[in-house]
Amino acid sequence: MDSSIKPEELHHAAHEHDEEGNKMFGFIVFLLSESVIFLSFFAGYTVYKITSQNWLPDGVEGLEVLEPSINTIVLVSSSFVIYFAERCLKQNNISGFRIYLLGTMAMGSYFLYGQYIEWSQLEFGFTSGIYGGMFYLLTGFHGLHVFTGILLQLIILIRSFIPGNYKNGHFGVDSTSLFWHFVDVIWIILFILIYVWQ
């Protein structure tokens, strides 16, 4: 062991490591609680779909799949982009981190815009039976998470302009990235439930 390292420095480093671990544990518990909420919605949607004789609103034969499929590809691909942003930061490549983060934010914004366009063209509303209510609840609640993820990315992007801000750990970046992966996985399940299983 390096004799030049003082005991108080070792204690401080160990304390910071424990604190980071506790923060990440807490954040994972938060994501698990969010998972329970989404799983409850998924279960409700599935039960209603299976037990309802007239599932779709009157005059609606199904949903258009092409545009949502493109939006899905864009959103899922953004998980790879934010991963590269993380790698750049860990390699002290701040400019690369910012570029990839901006790319992720742009892809998330594209997804939200695509969802807005889809909603504006639908022939049914939130009050159009159980299907209408479940559709807007599920896609809207997920869209809120996408919007939250973009805001979190904006915060960590702004913080990257503070000199030396990320030298002592990347919890904010790691948790934001984990949240974004969670949002993408939830959307894959949603896409299968709503658009594939019509």
Side-chain angles (χ1 to χ4, degrees):
M1 186 171 72
D2 188 353
S3 59
S4 64
I5 300 178
K6 298 178 182 179
E8 56 269 22
E9 291 178 344
L10 285 174
H11 175 74
H12 181 68
H15 177 72
E16 283 189 345
H17 178 73
D18 290 343
E19 189 177 331
E20 289 291 310
N22 289 338
K23 287 179 181 178
M24 186 53 71
F25 175 75
F27 191 75
I28 290 172
V29 170
F30 163 72
L31 289 183
L32 288 175
S33 68
E34 289 288 291
S35 300
V36 170
I37 295 172
F38 274 108
L39 286 174
S40 300
F41 289 158
F42 296 160
Y45 182 90
T46 302
V47 169
Y48 281 127
K49 179 175 173 56
I50 292 174
T51 58
S52 298
Q53 293 182 346
N54 299 316
W55 175 237
L56 294 174
D58 293 337
V60 177
E61 297 182 359
L63 296 171
E64 193 272 329
V65 180
L66 178 60
E67 290 300 325
S69 297
I70 295 173
N71 287 343
T72 299
I73 292 171
V74 171
L75 187 64
V76 172
S77 299
S78 69
S79 265
F80 296 97
V81 180
I82 199 170
Y83 167 75
F84 287 124
E86 278 189 286
R87 286 191 59 182
C88 285
L89 184 61
K90 288 173 182 176
Q91 295 168 357
N92 294 319
N93 180 2
I94 296 297
S95 60
F97 168 73
R98 292 169 183 158
I99 290 171
Y100 281 116
L101 198 60
L102 282 169
T104 308
M105 293 168 63
M107 295 169 86
S109 299
Y110 177 89
F111 175 85
L112 288 179
Y113 177 72
Q115 191 171 57
Y116 165 75
I117 294 298
E118 180 189 20
W119 280 16
S120 66
Q121 296 174 348
L122 289 174
E123 300 174 350
F124 59 91
F126 186 78
T127 57
S128 301
I130 296 174
Y131 178 82
M134 292 297 292
F135 174 85
Y136 283 99
L137 175 65
L138 286 169
T139 57
F141 191 54
H142 176 267
L144 178 62
H145 281 70
V146 174
F147 180 72
T148 301
I150 294 172
L151 287 181
L152 291 173
Q153 291 169 42
L154 178 61
I155 291 170
I156 62 175
L157 175 65
I158 293 171
R159 291 185 63 194
S160 73
F161 289 94
I162 302 173
N165 185 63
Y166 289 125
K167 283 187 177 179
N168 296 321
H170 310 119
F171 170 75
V173 176
D174 294 340
S175 57
T176 297
S177 177
L178 186 60
F179 181 82
W180 196 251
H181 297 317
F182 167 79
V183 167
D184 286 357
V185 170
I186 291 296
W187 177 255
I188 292 172
I189 300 172
L190 266 177
F191 180 79
I192 294 171
L193 274 179
I194 294 177
Y195 295 97
V196 177
W197 185 39
Q198 292 194 49

